[in-house]
Structure formats: C-alpha cells, structure tokens
Amino acid sequence: MEGITGSVLLMCFIGLIDANTSPSIEPGVFSICEDIPKDHHAFTILATDLEGDTLTYEINGPNAAYFTVNRTTGDVSIERNLDREASNYMTLGVYVYDGQTGTQKDLTLIIEEANDNKPIFQEPSYDIDVNENTAIGASLFKAEATDADTSSAGVITYSIDEVTPSAGSSLFSIVATTGEVRLNGSLNYTALSTFYRLKINATDGGGSCYYRPIKNYFSRVIFSFVTVVDVPDLDPQFIGLPYVGKVKEHALLDTSVFRVTAMDQDTGVNDKLLFSIEDSTAAVGLFNISQIDGIISVSSDIDREEIGDNVTLTVKATESKVNIHGVHASTTTDVQINIIDKNDNPPKFYKCGDTADERSCVIASDFTGDVVEHSLGAVFINMTVKDLDKIKKMKLTLEGLNSDVFSVEPQYTASDSIVQLLVKQPQNLDYEEIQTIVLSVIAIDEEDTSFRSTATVTINIKDANDNSPAFAKNTYKLEVAEHSPAGTVLGNITADDLTQWMKATSPTNFFQKAYCPTLQARDTDGKPGSTLLEITLTDINDHPPVMNRDSYQEFVKEGQQFGLKIQATDADESDTKNSQLEFGIEPSRYSDNFTINPETGVLTNRGKLDREALDPDLDGRIELNVTATDMGTLALSTMVPVIINVEDVNDNGPKFKAPSYKFSVKEGEKGAFVGSVQAEDLDQTTEFNRISYSIINGGFGSFIIRTFADERGYRGNLTVDFDLELDYESTHKQYQLQVEAADLEQVKATVMVEVDVLDVNDERPEFKPSEPVKVKENTTTSGGRRELYSAGQRWEPLTVRVNPEHTIDYEQCDLAVIEAQVVDEYTEKGENNSVTTGEMVIEIEDINDNAPEFILSNSVFVVVSESASKGTSVAGVSAIDRDSLIHRQVEFEVTSVQFEDNNNKITDMRMLYEAITTQQKDIYVGNIQPTEGLDTSLKGRYLVSVSATDSGKTVHQHRTGDLCMETLISDPDYVYILIELGLADIGKAPVVEAETDPLRYILMGMVAGLIVVLTVLTTSLMCTRRNYRRKLKAAKAMNSASMVTSNNQKSGAVVPGTNKYTMEGANPVLNLNIDTTMVLDMDEDSSDVDKVSLNSLDDRYSMSEVSNMKSIQEEDEEEGDDGGPPKYIEPLRAALAQQGQKKASDKPHVGFINPAFSTTDL
C-alpha cells in the first residue's frame, strides 16, 4: 500500500510541474549623447517574460564600467563619461534573469556627438621677430588649432582678444577662418613699441547633445610675442651741437683739438659710425679726424696769420653698413675751430699805394721824404708799420745822426699805423749846411723785444731863400698878426746905399708861423743885395687841435690794466696857450670806467674791466669819445673815437639757476624725459660760456643728460637711458644724481638732482602663502582670508566666506581647496593676472552632528536554538556613525525585550538579551546574546529593541527584528522563502513546485477515480504520519553519516545547516548544542578553509538542483473551520507563514543577520 501511495503522489507532482521559459530581450540600437552627466538616465533595457516573472537586469562586457543598471527596472545610467572621439559606438552585454533562467544579449550603442573638447593649438607659442619695415598686409604667422569634435563643433574661429601695449591694437589682424595673423599697420622700432603681445583666441563652433538646444562653446587662448626688429632706415645724428673747438697757433702735430659724437638713430641696429672731414675753409690737410672715435687733431702747421682766426670744418658721420636702401647712411655738421694767436711775428714796415688798400701795401725797408729847410710840421715818408699777430703792441724809436731834429709818431701803437716824422728842431734844418739826413726807424714788439724791424729814412732838405742883400742887418724881424688885412705896414728897412720902403702883403696862406721873404735891393750896378725879413706871424687861436688818428682801437683782456696814449697836435703856435692841449672824455655809458691824463692824453681804466658787466650786445666793445681842447682864447677842441675791445677771459664758471632740482619719472619707460637743469656762464663769448652737462655720481648708468642752448645759458635735458627701464620694485626708488656743468676750460659747478621713481602698476599680483583655514562643519558664517601681494605692496585681502545657502558637511567633504585667480583691473603695463593661482586649503572640522545609523536589510527572522545559553550570540546588528574619530564610536544596548506568542499577544519581558559591541573596520557590530537560558516552553517570537549611542551620547533606537524560537525546522515548503531571505535549506531541497493553477484542479476533478485514490492515500498518510517521520529522520541521519568521516567532523568546523549531523540523527538546528567559539569562528583547531563563509552556495543554488532533490512532504496543512489561515504544528512554519503574509502589509520590517548562522545553516 505504501509503495502505491508513493507512486501516485509522484505522478501527481509530475503532472503539476509548469515549464519555465527564459526572458526575451528586445534587440535594438540605442543612440545616446556623449555629454550625458553621471548618474543620469541613458536608455532602458527592454525585456519581457512569458510567465510574467519579476526580471533582474545586469550588464557585463568590457564597456559595462561606463554604465550602471537598475536591477529591477532595467534603466541604464551613466557611470563614467563617454567619449565619442575615442569610439563612436560600443557594445554592451545585457543579462536578464527571471529568477530561474536568464538571457544574455549584446546591445549596440551609438554615441552622438556633443561639444566636449576644447580647441588645441598646434604650437605651444607663436613668438616671432618682425622687421620694422615689413609691408602692411604681410602675413606674419599662422596660429593653427584643432578640435577633436566633429561637425560644426569642430569648426574653429580665430580672433585677437588683446594686444599689449594697447596702442598696437590696430597694427594686427587675424583671418577668422584660418588663423593667419597679418600686419595691419606700420611698425616703428624707434617711435613705437619694440614688442607686442597678442592674445589669440580660438573658439569652436559650439553645440551640445544632452542639453539641446542650449549650446556650449569652448575656447582656448595662446599668447604670441611679436618682437620688432630694428632695421637701418634712419640717418645717424650728431649730438651735443653746436661744435666749437680751439687750438693754439703752431700747435704740435697730432694735438687733439675736439671730439665729435654721433649716434645711430636705429638703436636696435646701433651700426658702427665712421668719421671724415668733407670740407674746410682753410687749406686741406690742416686737420685730420679719427675715423673711429671722431677726434679732430692737427695734421700740419697752423699759421693764424695765413688762415685767419677760425677754421670751419664740415665733418661727416657715415654708417659702416648699408641701410635698407643699399647705401651708407650719413650726416654732416660744421665744427668751428678758433685759432688762438701766438706772438710769432715781428712788426714790419710797408709802403702803400695811393688807394691805401691793404693789397697795395708792400714790405719795404727804405723810405724817403722831403722837407723845406727851417720848416715845421710832419714829414710824409709813406711808411706804415704792421704786426700780423692778433694782439699787437709796438714801440717806434728813431735813431741816427741828427735824430734829435725829428720825432717819430706814433711812438706806441696797438694796431697797424701810419708812421710820420715831426720836425722838432727846424733851426737845424739849414740847406746851406746839410742837404740830406739819413735816419733809422725801429719798430719793437713790446711783448717780445727780440721781434723788431728797422727801416732807413732818407730826408732831403730843400733850399729856401735865406740870404739877404747888404742891408744893415742880415735879418729884419717883423711881426704881423695872422690874418692881417692887406696893406698893413710891417716896418721900414734901409740898405747901405738904398733906402726902399716896402709894404708887406699878407700872404693868403701861411703854413708856417714865420715868413722869411728876401728883400732885395739893387744898387745902381744892378747887383742885388738882399736881406732876410723874418716876418713872424703872431699867432691867434684859429686852429682846432688835430688828432693824430681818425680813431683809436685798443684790445685789452678783462681784468688787465689798460693804457692808451691819445695824441693830438695844434697848428697854432707851439708853446703858447693856443697850442697847449688838454684831454678829456665825453660822458657816455661806460665813460666812468675810464680816466685820461689831461696833459699827456694817457687813457687808463678806472677799476677792473669786467666783460660781463658790459651789455652783451656790444660784444665787449666800448666806444669813448676823447676830446683835445686848446687853452687859447675862444678855446677850440676836437674829438676822436676810441674803441676799446674788452676781450673775454674765462673768469666765470657755470652757475646753476637753482640750488637743487627734484623730478619724478614713471618706471618702465625707456628714454622717458625726467626734467631739465639750467645753468649759465656769465662769460660772454661762446669760447668760455659754452656749457656741457654730465652725471658724475648717483646715476648708476640709468640716466643720460644732453646739452641744449637756452635763451640764457644752457639747459641739460635729463632722460632715462634709451636702453633701460627703471623699476620701482628694485632697490632704487630714488636717485640722488650729482650733475656737473663744465665750460670748455673745465671750470665746473655741481648740483644735486633728486629723481623719484614713480610706481607704475606693472607688477603681476601674487598670493602670499597661507596656513590652512579650519572651519567647523554646519557653520554658515565662517570664512578665511588670503593676503594678496604685488611687488611687496599689500593689496586688499581675498576673503572667502561660506555660502549661506549651503551647509558644510564634514561627512560629505572634509577638505576643500579653493583655487583663485586674481586680476588687477588697474594694471598699466604688462600682465594683470597672477602667474599662478592661489590656493586656500580649508580643513573642515568634524562635530558630533550625526546619530549612529543602523545597516538595515528588508527583514530578518533570527532562528534561535532552544539550547542557546548565556553568552551565545544569537543575532547581530550593525551600525555606522558618519562622524569621525571619537564621535564615530558606537555602543549598543538592549533597551527592551517583548515576547509575541502564536496568538499575536505581546508581553513585556525582562532583559533576557544583552548587546556586546565589537568593531569590524568602520562598522560597529552589536552581538545579541542571551543573558540566561531561554524558556523552551514558550512558542512565539521575541521582539528585542536595541539602541546605538555614539560618544556624543546621540542615541538611535532600533528594534533588532523578530527573534523566533522553535524546536524543529523540517518542512521543505519554506525553502524558497528562506532563499529569498538569503538563507539556504537544511538538508536536501525539495523539488521545485510552481504555484498551482485552479484550472488544473478542475481538470483533475474530472478524473473521478483519481480522486478516490487520493482520498485513500490521504487517509493512509494521516495514520502513518508519525511513524513515517521517524523513519525519514533516521534515513537522513544514516545517509549523512555515511557521507562524513570522523576526521572531517573532527578537523572541520561543525556548521549547522550543512550535511554534518550528530550521530543520533537529531535536527542540528533545534537540538544541537551550539558552541559559541564555533559560532564566532574562534575554534583554534578549525582550518581557515572551514572558517570561510559558505555564502557562495547562495549563488550556486539553482532550480535544477532543487528539482533533483527528494521531496517528501512530512505533514499536511489543515485549514480551520472558519476558513482562516492554516494551522501549523511547527512554530517555524507558522513564523514563515506570517513572514509571507506580512510582506504585503504596510508595516515595514527591519532585518538583521544572525551571526551564529550562515546562509547555508537552514
């Protein structure tokens, strides 16, 4: 009977098995955007199952790392950023599982383009040198960039965002489509900047995919430094003009006279200059110039008397290399060289023609003159004395027999003069005694008496009628007043034998003071007799004085004594009042500076002569009017101009017009004008008042000064060196320059010039290193400060504050690094941003703001052995605290214990359980242990509440779940429920039975015979149930014992739920005394292999294995009369049945894992 029953039951089971089909995955190609953000939806896996089973989705394959999938819905999200440029499509493996079987399929994903790449320039920089004469429109270079994107996103547009300095913005342009940079204006190395920095921008065409229609654009900038190269396109330039030099007459050969200086205006080329003399107002070859350094020197003997007082040279400076036009650029200037006279010529005598022209005068040594005997006056001998030297002082003397009869005039002269002889002793001129007198006139140079010349003068004496007839007297002296009228009786003259009255007729012209006519008397024989009538003209004052010269000109150096003898004659009778002369000076502007001896006519200076006291317009020329007045009645006078040339000497040095100067100049400007100093030398000639400036101290090579003529004096323009830039940030913020002014004879004066360097905002800002800033989490007001510095100057600090709209959470971020870039909006020159970004490290400090959090599962039913004793771990809870350090330490405590019996009645219990806290890495585990033995007579479940408390006393209470206590687990009906809970069946799993369809019962009812058989079998099983149970247990125990050796039991860990049984064949779950050391894996004798969790059985568990297991139903379930839930004999089955019912309830269940059992324990 038993065999038939088993066969029928097996037949019934076979007839009720339902076939299961694998899920179906719809094939397809998905287009997804490459710019989908992480954790955003990409696509959904489409799959169906004929049975309508719940599907589980998985992804696999080499591209699975880019995605995550919702295992329940099949929604695929982005895990890693996609890159279409790496691959425009990919395959993704998909596995769909319906709980029994699964399907694998590869999906094709097409990656759609999005603008996610920035343009990249092909070169790291585009620095270039450009000649300043480059033609406008010329192509300078091509800035090329690439973009990995395709379509319009990869189209690059170029632009020039900025040109530094900004004045050069119009000089450059760029082709937007090709990046070709062209010259848009003329460059100039000298007048404009020598370099330009171009900020070139490459911007892509923009685009997006996921965020469509919003477009995002990417751009990249690169800097190009355009250096302007100077080309030789400017002529050289002489500096320090005008050029005036001087040299002594007869200077030695190669004597340095003057140095000219020139510069190449193309400062970037700075070509070598060659000097030459192109022209000269004197003979060629008189001077030579050094080709290299421009020093003019003497090349042949210099004779001032031949070439004149000055020579003008035309000097040329030529560049050594050809310019852009293929020629050697050059410039010329004039150099005036003054010849300083040397007393090297003796005075000489000349005969001049009637025109008195200089060219008609010839040197002569013999002169002649005629004089009537006994006459007075000057003897004209046509003699002129000259000294070719510029400064001349000559003395004339007369030597020879009868030299006392004459005197020479002038006796002293400082200029070329006509020489005359005056009769001093007319009585010694007697024709009857001497007819010729020979004299020597000697001219002596007063400065060097060795320079002298002698001329011979022959004077012929002409006879006069001076013999008288035989009168009583040889001479009759008569007097007649000059200008007497005709008919005036002079006297009565008688002869020896003839008396004859004679009337004198007044002569119409008298050139002598006495008239000696011969009175002749003839006797009867006709022999004449004569006597001399000395008719003396009685002088009247009718002749004004006559100056010996038409004018006087004298040269005297200022500061020296001056003496000039003014000579005049009076035609009136000598030694009378009428001829006695008195000299005087007519009042004039400078007449008080001179005095004249009224008797001798010697003109001298009164006090020191100062050229600078004179009107500069006079050029040192003083013109006096000297008068000569006779002493006669109705005095007559005459006047002669006396020109005194006061020659300038270097008796004054340069004097600055201010005691000191103070200027300021901006840093960073080459050749910037600083200021002007003015000085004046009171000397009136360029030879002595020409001033040159130089910086003798304090300039450190940073400044140059140039001399320019001013309205009064000279000014020195102080500029920054054209090759240097001042730097305010250097040690020299102020310069104390010592400027020297020197005249040509190196008389010097100095002045202090203070130059302040003005700071220009040309330094890039920079961040000062700072310590990390600490901020407590959950704060909204704290912040940090970061100091900004630029070239030592402290700027406004950068302050970082917490955004009040957000709260800092240490658990999300414990360290923040803020990277900042600073831009100086007021930069005047150079870059305006910091070289490097500044970092502010913010350390977020943890506070105890998080309560412990339990690690939850869906639900858990912990099965406790009835033999569980004190100290045995029966359950466990896990918790973490997101705080750090001491704040994260968690302590567990059992707060309450309740018991719920099978009738759902809940009763408060004493503390039957306690929580022991342990730590596994960052997770704290609370092992729940009984504090005493459990009452095995109670059927139901324990409800244990556990609290987790951190060190900050923050409490999180939680109920551990249901602690179910049962005496036996043997019903295989709950194997699948246990599997869903993560537990495995104890022993062999029953055959998989699908859920029964009511339609099939209808079909079964149609077989009446089968129903009868089933009724009989059911009655038979009811009667034999208990006996059959014992046999089943014994069979299972026997089978297990045969599979396990004693060594395995001894050496391996005895794990409840495996096929390891006690020799009595008892169910290990309910009857086994569990050793706590074994449960907690602390058996020292156990191997490591046995200590490994057997959870892998969960993954290997399949329905096929279950179907191969023997399924023997031990006990029928009976329904109550009231149609309520079935009544179960075993508490475990009741617990499992309640678990299944409560899944649909709204009350959430808290799940825990019993650390005493692995998933294979049931």
Side-chain angles (χ1 to χ4, degrees):
M1 186 63 183
E2 280 180 276
I4 295 173
T5 303
S7 299
V8 174
L9 181 61
L10 179 61
M11 180 185 65
C12 294
F13 284 158
I14 292 172
L16 296 177
I17 292 175
D18 185 16
N20 181 65
T21 59
S22 299
S24 174
I25 301 175
E26 294 185 12
V29 177
F30 295 93
S31 295
I32 58 176
C33 294
E34 69 170 325
D35 58 345
I36 299 177
K38 183 181 178 183
D39 299 330
H40 282 60
H41 180 266
F43 64 92
T44 301
I45 301 172
L46 302 178
T48 58
D49 189 78
L50 294 177
E51 292 77 26
D53 294 335
T54 301
L55 300 181
T56 302
Y57 299 87
E58 296 178 356
I59 56 176
N60 52 51
N63 297 319
Y66 289 93
F67 306 93
T68 59
V69 64
N70 187 313
R71 294 175 60 86
T72 304
T73 64
D75 291 334
V76 178
S77 302
I78 298 298
E79 177 65 21
R80 291 169 56 185
N81 293 331
L82 303 178
D83 187 5
R84 185 184 187 280
E85 287 68 40
S87 176
N88 56 5
Y89 75 94
M90 62 172 57
T91 59
L92 180 65
V94 176
Y95 180 75
V96 181
Y97 177 65
D98 63 0
Q100 300 180 32
T101 61
T103 299
Q104 173 73 33
K105 194 175 187 65
D106 287 341
L107 300 180
T108 299
L109 307 180
I110 296 177
I111 313 301
E112 293 187 352
E113 172 67 21
N115 187 22
D116 61 341
N117 289 282
K118 290 185 176 182
I120 298 176
F121 283 96
Q122 297 300 300
E123 301 293 337
S125 65
Y126 293 93
D127 298 343
I128 186 174
D129 294 340
V130 180
N131 290 339
E132 65 171 329
N133 63 336
T134 302
I136 296 176
S139 176
L140 302 183
F141 61 90
K142 190 174 184 180
E144 292 185 290
T146 59
D147 193 314
D149 295 319
T150 59
S151 69
S152 62
V155 177
I156 299 175
T157 302
Y158 301 91
S159 63
I160 298 177
D161 288 351
E162 182 184 51
V163 178
T164 304
S166 59
S169 300
S170 61
L171 296 179
F172 304 93
S173 63
I174 190 169
V175 180
T177 55
T178 64
E180 181 183 10
V181 177
R182 297 175 179 173
L183 185 63
N184 215 32
S186 298
L187 302 176
N188 193 313
Y189 183 90
T190 307
L192 302 178
S193 178
T194 59
F195 78 95
Y196 299 92
R197 191 194 71 168
L198 309 184
K199 183 180 180 181
I200 300 175
N201 183 301
T203 303
D204 61 21
S208 64
C209 181
Y210 183 77
Y211 298 100
R212 201 180 281 125
I214 300 175
K215 281 189 175 184
N216 62 310
Y217 297 86
F218 291 109
S219 65
R220 190 179 298 274
V221 298
I222 194 170
F223 291 95
S224 170
F225 286 89
V226 178
T227 302
V228 181
V229 178
D230 195 11
V231 298
D233 60 344
L234 297 176
D235 292 338
Q237 181 183 29
F238 283 99
I239 57 176
L241 298 174
Y243 290 149
V244 178
K246 62 181 180 179
V247 64
K248 290 183 178 180
E249 183 181 16
H250 302 299
L252 297 177
L253 297 183
D254 297 328
T255 299
S256 177
V257 179
F258 193 79
R259 180 174 184 174
V260 296
T261 305
M263 61 175 289
D264 187 354
Q265 294 190 82
D266 299 310
T267 55
V269 178
N270 197 20
D271 194 4
K272 182 180 178 181
L273 299 180
L274 304 177
F275 298 95
S276 62
I277 296 176
E278 295 297 303
D279 194 11
S280 173
T281 57
V284 178
L286 191 62
F287 295 96
N288 186 28
I289 188 169
S290 172
Q291 190 180 37
I292 303 301
D293 52 23
I295 296 177
I296 299 174
S297 58
V298 177
S299 61
S300 63
D301 184 58
I302 300 173
D303 189 353
R304 188 198 66 84
E305 288 72 31
E306 291 184 6
I307 64 176
D309 289 334
N310 54 67
V311 177
T312 299
L313 304 178
T314 301
V315 177
K316 182 177 181 180
T318 306
E319 295 181 2
S320 60
K321 299 177 182 177
V322 296
N323 58 15
I324 59 175
H325 306 297
V327 298
H328 294 274
S330 63
T331 185
T332 59
T333 189
D334 289 339
V335 180
Q336 178 179 321
I337 300 177
N338 295 326
I339 311 300
I340 300 175
D341 185 36
K342 181 180 180 181
N343 190 11
D344 59 342
N345 289 283
K348 292 183 178 180
F349 297 102
Y350 293 81
K351 281 184 180 180
C352 298
D354 295 338
T355 61
D357 187 4
E358 184 75 22
R359 291 174 293 181
S360 66
C361 296
V362 295
I363 299 175
S365 59
D366 294 316
F367 299 88
T368 60
D370 296 327
V371 62
V372 178
E373 62 177 340
H374 305 299
S375 64
L376 290 174
V379 180
F380 178 72
I381 56 176
N382 192 19
M383 174 186 284
T384 301
V385 64
K386 295 183 179 181
D387 190 332
L388 297 181
D389 293 323
K390 184 176 182 180
I391 300 175
K392 54 193 75 175
K393 288 186 178 181
M394 296 176 288
K395 178 182 179 182
L396 298 175
T397 60
L398 194 61
E399 294 182 354
L401 188 63
N402 300 318
S403 61
D404 294 338
V405 177
F406 301 91
S407 64
V408 63
E409 290 295 335
Q411 297 179 6
Y412 297 91
T413 181
S415 61
D416 298 342
S417 301
I418 297 176
V419 180
Q420 294 179 335
L421 296 180
L422 299 180
V423 178
K424 291 172 54 179
Q425 300 175 0
Q427 63 276 12
N428 292 330
L429 293 178
D430 191 354
Y431 178 81
E432 286 70 29
E433 293 182 4
I434 184 170
Q435 288 77 38
T436 302
I437 298 177
V438 179
L439 302 175
S440 295
V441 179
I442 302 173
I444 303 172
D445 190 327
E446 288 190 275
E447 290 187 358
D448 187 351
T449 57
S450 63
F451 289 134
R452 60 176 59 198
S453 295
T454 303
T456 302
V457 180
T458 300
I459 301 175
N460 296 316
I461 302 173
K462 292 184 176 182
D463 187 23
N465 190 14
D466 59 344
N467 293 315
S468 313
F471 284 92
K473 296 180 180 179
N474 293 330
T475 303
Y476 290 86
K477 294 183 179 182
L478 302 175
E479 291 184 355
V480 60
E482 62 179 336
H483 304 300
S484 296
T488 302
V489 176
L490 302 181
N492 190 10
I493 305 290
T494 62
D496 290 340
D497 56 350
L498 179 63
T499 302
Q500 184 175 0
W501 295 95
M502 299 189 63
K503 290 184 179 180
T505 302
S506 299
T508 56
N509 288 308
F510 281 98
F511 299 98
Q512 299 166 288
K513 69 176 182 178
Y515 181 68
C516 299
T518 299
L519 178 62
Q520 189 179 53
R522 291 179 180 272
D523 57 16
T524 59
D525 294 333
K527 293 182 179 180
S530 61
T531 186
L532 181 62
L533 300 179
E534 290 184 3
I535 303 172
T536 302
L537 294 177
T538 306
D539 188 33
I540 64 173
N541 193 17
D542 60 342
H543 288 88
V546 176
M547 296 292 181
N548 288 359
R549 299 185 193 175
D550 295 333
S551 64
Y552 288 86
Q553 184 172 349
E554 187 73 9
F555 292 85
V556 61
K557 292 184 182 295
E558 62 174 328
Q560 293 183 355
Q561 281 299 116
F562 164 76
L564 174 64
K565 185 174 183 180
I566 307 300
Q567 293 179 329
T569 59
D570 195 313
D572 293 321
E573 185 177 4
S574 61
D575 299 328
T576 64
K577 292 289 185 179
N578 294 334
S579 62
Q580 184 178 350
L581 301 181
E582 184 179 59
F583 295 92
I585 303 174
E586 287 289 309
S588 62
R589 183 175 179 181
Y590 299 105
S591 60
D592 292 338
N593 295 329
F594 298 89
T595 182
I596 190 170
N597 189 314
E599 296 178 358
T600 62
V602 175
L603 180 65
T604 59
N605 55 302
R606 179 185 295 167
K608 184 178 179 182
L609 291 178
D610 187 1
R611 169 75 178 260
E612 289 68 46
L614 305 180
D615 187 344
D617 295 336
L618 298 178
D619 195 24
R621 178 187 176 99
I622 300 176
E623 189 168 336
L624 302 178
N625 291 320
V626 176
T627 61
T629 306
D630 59 26
M631 305 299 291
T633 305
L634 298 177
L636 300 176
S637 64
T638 189
M639 184 170 59
V640 66
V642 178
I643 299 173
I644 302 170
N645 293 294
V646 181
E647 295 181 331
D648 194 19
V649 298
N650 193 16
D651 59 343
N652 290 281
K655 289 185 179 180
F656 284 95
K657 295 183 179 180
S660 63
Y661 294 89
K662 182 178 179 66
F663 304 118
S664 61
V665 63
K666 289 184 177 181
E667 64 171 329
E669 295 184 9
K670 292 183 178 180
F673 177 74
V674 178
S676 297
V677 296
Q678 292 85 26
E680 182 180 6
D681 190 320
L682 295 179
D683 292 322
Q684 290 191 355
T685 56
T686 307
E687 182 180 357
F688 299 121
N689 66 11
R690 175 72 171 86
I691 296 175
S692 61
Y693 293 95
S694 60
I695 301 171
I696 61 175
N697 193 17
F700 302 102
S702 300
F703 300 90
I704 58 177
I705 189 167
R706 294 181 176 178
T707 304
F708 297 90
D710 221 340
E711 184 177 356
R712 284 183 60 104
Y714 292 83
R715 74 177 185 277
N717 286 351
L718 186 65
T719 59
V720 179
D721 194 299
F722 288 96
D723 295 328
L724 296 177
E725 291 184 358
L726 301 180
D727 187 3
Y728 179 84
E729 286 69 36
S730 67
T731 56
H732 294 293
K733 293 182 176 59
Q734 186 184 76
Y735 291 85
Q736 297 289 338
L737 307 181
Q738 190 174 10
V739 176
E740 180 183 83
D743 60 18
L744 296 180
E745 291 191 350
Q746 297 301 307
V747 179
K748 302 175 182 179
T750 58
V751 71
M752 294 303 297
V753 178
E754 180 179 313
V755 179
D756 294 325
V757 181
L758 301 180
D759 189 19
V760 173
N761 193 358
D762 61 344
E763 296 294 329
R764 302 177 73 167
E766 60 183 24
F767 287 93
K768 180 182 179 183
S770 62
E771 297 295 327
V773 178
K774 297 183 183 296
V775 178
K776 292 185 181 295
E777 65 173 328
N778 297 334
T779 182
T780 59
T781 58
S782 298
R785 292 166 68 89
R786 181 72 191 270
E787 300 296 327
L788 297 177
Y789 279 79
S790 174
Q793 300 297 321
R794 185 172 182 270
W795 288 7
E796 191 68 24
L798 172 65
T799 303
V800 179
R801 294 185 175 87
V802 178
N803 190 339
E805 297 180 1
H806 299 276
T807 302
I808 299 176
D809 189 355
Y810 174 85
E811 287 68 41
Q812 294 182 357
C813 177
D814 59 355
L815 182 71
V817 178
I818 296 178
E819 193 172 75
Q821 173 71 269
V822 60
V823 176
D824 181 4
E825 296 181 351
Y826 300 101
T827 294
E828 299 177 54
K829 181 180 180 183
E831 297 290 342
N832 65 347
N833 63 314
S834 55
V835 178
T836 58
T837 56
E839 289 188 353
M840 177 183 287
V841 179
I842 302 176
E843 296 178 355
I844 301 174
E845 296 182 340
D846 187 29
I847 62 174
N848 191 17
D849 60 337
N850 291 283
E853 297 178 2
F854 286 99
I855 302 175
L856 307 179
S857 62
N858 293 333
S859 62
V860 65
F861 285 86
V862 181
V863 180
V864 181
S865 174
E866 65 181 356
S867 63
S869 60
K870 180 180 180 180
T872 301
S873 177
V874 298
V877 292
S878 301
I880 60 172
D881 192 315
R882 292 191 297 149
D883 294 323
S884 62
L885 302 176
I886 191 173
H887 301 308
R888 70 181 306 167
Q889 297 178 3
V890 178
E891 290 290 335
F892 296 98
E893 181 183 4
V894 176
T895 58
S896 67
V897 178
Q898 295 177 319
F899 184 78
E900 182 180 2
D901 59 19
N902 291 336
N903 296 323
N904 297 328
K905 182 181 179 181
I906 298 176
T907 306
D908 291 334
M909 304 290 290
R910 63 184 180 276
M911 293 296 177
L912 295 177
Y913 296 92
E914 63 180 356
I916 304 300
T917 303
T918 61
Q919 183 179 359
Q920 297 179 2
K921 295 185 178 179
D922 294 335
I923 300 175
Y924 287 85
V925 178
N927 293 321
I928 310 301
Q929 300 179 359
T931 58
E932 58 185 65
L934 302 178
D935 187 354
T936 58
S937 62
L938 297 176
K939 302 299 182 180
R941 59 180 181 176
Y942 287 95
L943 305 178
V944 180
S945 296
V946 180
S947 66
T949 307
D950 59 20
S951 59
K953 306 304 180 184
T954 302
V955 180
H956 188 186
Q957 293 193 351
H958 189 69
R959 179 169 289 181
T960 61
D962 300 331
L963 297 180
C964 300
M965 180 176 167
E966 193 61 70
T967 59
L968 180 63
I969 298 178
S970 58
D971 195 338
D973 293 342
Y974 305 102
V975 61
Y976 302 111
I977 300 175
L978 294 174
I979 289 174
E980 290 181 3
L981 296 174
L983 304 175
D985 185 36
I986 298 176
K988 296 180 180 179
V991 177
V992 177
E993 294 185 5
E995 185 178 350
T996 305
D997 191 347
L999 181 60
R1000 292 171 183 170
Y1001 285 104
I1002 296 174
L1003 295 175
M1004 292 170 60
M1006 296 174 63
V1007 184
L1010 184 58
I1011 295 175
V1012 175
V1013 174
L1014 289 175
T1015 304
V1016 174
L1017 289 175
T1018 302
T1019 305
S1020 176
L1021 289 173
M1022 293 287 291
C1023 297
T1024 61
R1025 177 177 60 84
R1026 296 188 181 277
N1027 184 33
Y1028 186 75
R1029 267 180 73 190
R1030 287 192 295 271
K1031 291 179 181 181
L1032 178 62
K1033 291 179 180 180
K1036 289 182 177 181
M1038 184 76 67
N1039 186 25
S1040 300
S1042 65
M1043 296 171 60
V1044 181
T1045 64
S1046 60
N1047 290 334
N1048 290 337
Q1049 292 178 358
K1050 202 169 187 182
S1051 61
V1054 182
V1055 180
T1058 66
N1059 289 328
K1060 297 180 181 180
Y1061 292 87
T1062 60
M1063 297 306 293
E1064 293 78 13
N1067 189 311
V1069 176
L1070 300 180
N1071 296 333
L1072 183 62
N1073 291 327
I1074 300 174
D1075 189 0
T1076 57
T1077 60
M1078 177 204 71
V1079 172
L1080 299 177
D1081 248 359
M1082 294 186 288
D1083 187 3
E1084 294 180 356
D1085 295 333
S1086 63
S1087 67
D1088 293 336
V1089 176
D1090 296 324
K1091 293 178 182 179
V1092 175
S1093 171
L1094 301 177
N1095 289 335
S1096 60
L1097 294 177
D1098 298 343
D1099 299 331
R1100 295 195 299 268
Y1101 198 92
S1102 66
M1103 296 307 298
S1104 62
E1105 294 174 353
V1106 176
S1107 64
N1108 295 329
M1109 297 173 62
K1110 271 191 177 181
S1111 176
I1112 302 177
Q1113 189 167 352
E1114 300 178 356
E1115 188 170 300
D1116 291 336
E1117 300 177 359
E1118 298 179 357
E1119 295 185 0
D1121 297 337
D1122 54 0
K1127 296 180 181 179
Y1128 301 97
I1129 300 174
E1130 295 180 3
L1132 176 59
R1133 296 170 68 187
L1136 294 175
Q1138 293 176 8
Q1139 172 68 18
Q1141 295 173 359
K1142 293 183 179 181
K1143 277 185 179 180
S1145 64
D1146 296 333
K1147 181 178 180 181
H1149 282 75
V1150 182
F1152 301 92
I1153 298 175
N1154 186 350
F1157 305 104
S1158 70
T1159 57
T1160 61
D1161 289 341
L1162 299 180

